[in-house]
Amino acid sequence: MNYRSHLGGESDERFDLGNCPDESVSTVVREGATLAVGRDVAVAPAVAAEYLRDTRRWPDWGPAIEAVESDDRYVTRGTRGQVRVAGAWLPFRVTACNDRRWDWRVSGIPATGHRVDSYAGESDRSRVVVEVPLVAAWYVPVCRRALDRFAALVEERSGEKSTERAIEVDTVDDD
């Protein structure tokens, strides 16, 4: 199924940096010192978050990631491993993580943030966002392609029940 955002082709205070196929329905919004590249997907936020945090699936939707090695299938704060990008293995560490958001450093450099937003009253729809530092604006077209691939992957499998264990998440204890 091809899911299209309710925004269609309207910019609605968003801007398009180009270099992405015309059929992409992703948007780019400036959020402080980052560019939030987002795309609606026709799956529940929990489903989108599970796929986003699954290191085994990164090469399926991330055009820059050729392979991943990590002891953790689902990222949590502190997850370490390495990703193969352009033939080179680069170390990564997840620096922050909760049930629907995670940030990482690649080769010690702060990289993209990842999050899943929900829509009030729409349990079968969510928005997946990759946050790109302004200094890396050149990476936005790659993120747009990644989100289009991500949407195709999760929407194709949205009818399938996850057979994996429940995802453990880091929580903050207020005690």
Side-chain angles (χ1 to χ4, degrees):
M1 171 177 114
N2 289 329
Y3 180 77
R4 288 206 154 288
S5 166
H6 72 284
L7 296 174
E10 296 298 317
S11 66
D12 193 28
E13 297 183 85
R14 292 162 172 82
F15 58 92
D16 184 356
L17 295 179
N19 296 327
C20 195
D22 291 335
E23 65 271 6
S24 176
V25 293
S26 62
T27 59
V28 182
V29 178
R30 183 170 178 172
E31 294 180 348
T34 65
L35 297 172
V37 185
R39 189 183 195 292
D40 289 354
V41 293
V43 298
V47 172
E50 178 178 351
Y51 278 83
L52 193 65
R53 295 179 59 211
D54 186 346
T55 60
R56 292 183 190 167
R57 298 211 186 265
W58 292 353
D60 295 338
W61 57 268
I65 297 176
E66 299 166 2
V68 178
E69 292 182 354
S70 178
D71 289 338
D72 298 331
R73 173 153 186 190
Y74 296 97
V75 297
T76 60
R77 187 168 26 99
T79 291
R80 293 178 182 272
Q82 55 184 355
V83 289
R84 190 172 65 209
V85 177
W89 284 100
L90 306 173
F92 75 83
R93 181 175 55 89
V94 175
T95 57
C97 186
N98 66 30
D99 60 341
R100 292 195 306 191
R101 177 181 177 76
W102 62 273
D103 301 317
W104 67 338
R105 294 173 85 79
V106 178
S107 292
I109 300 168
T112 51
H114 307 78
R115 74 174 194 251
V116 177
D117 298 333
S118 60
Y119 286 99
E122 296 187 55
S123 61
D124 62 344
R125 181 172 162 233
S126 55
R127 183 153 191 85
V128 178
V129 178
V130 178
E131 300 164 350
V132 179
L134 284 175
V135 298
W138 57 269
Y139 195 62
V140 166
V142 175
C143 294
R144 294 183 75 194
R145 279 192 305 277
L147 289 174
D148 288 343
R149 290 170 62 172
F150 181 87
L153 175 70
V154 299
E155 290 173 355
E156 175 183 309
R157 299 181 185 199
S158 66
E160 300 174 15
K161 296 282 185 190
S162 174
T163 59
E164 302 300 324
R165 64 172 174 72
I167 300 173
E168 296 176 14
V169 297
D170 297 337
T171 57
V172 176
D173 214 353
D174 292 320
D175 295 336

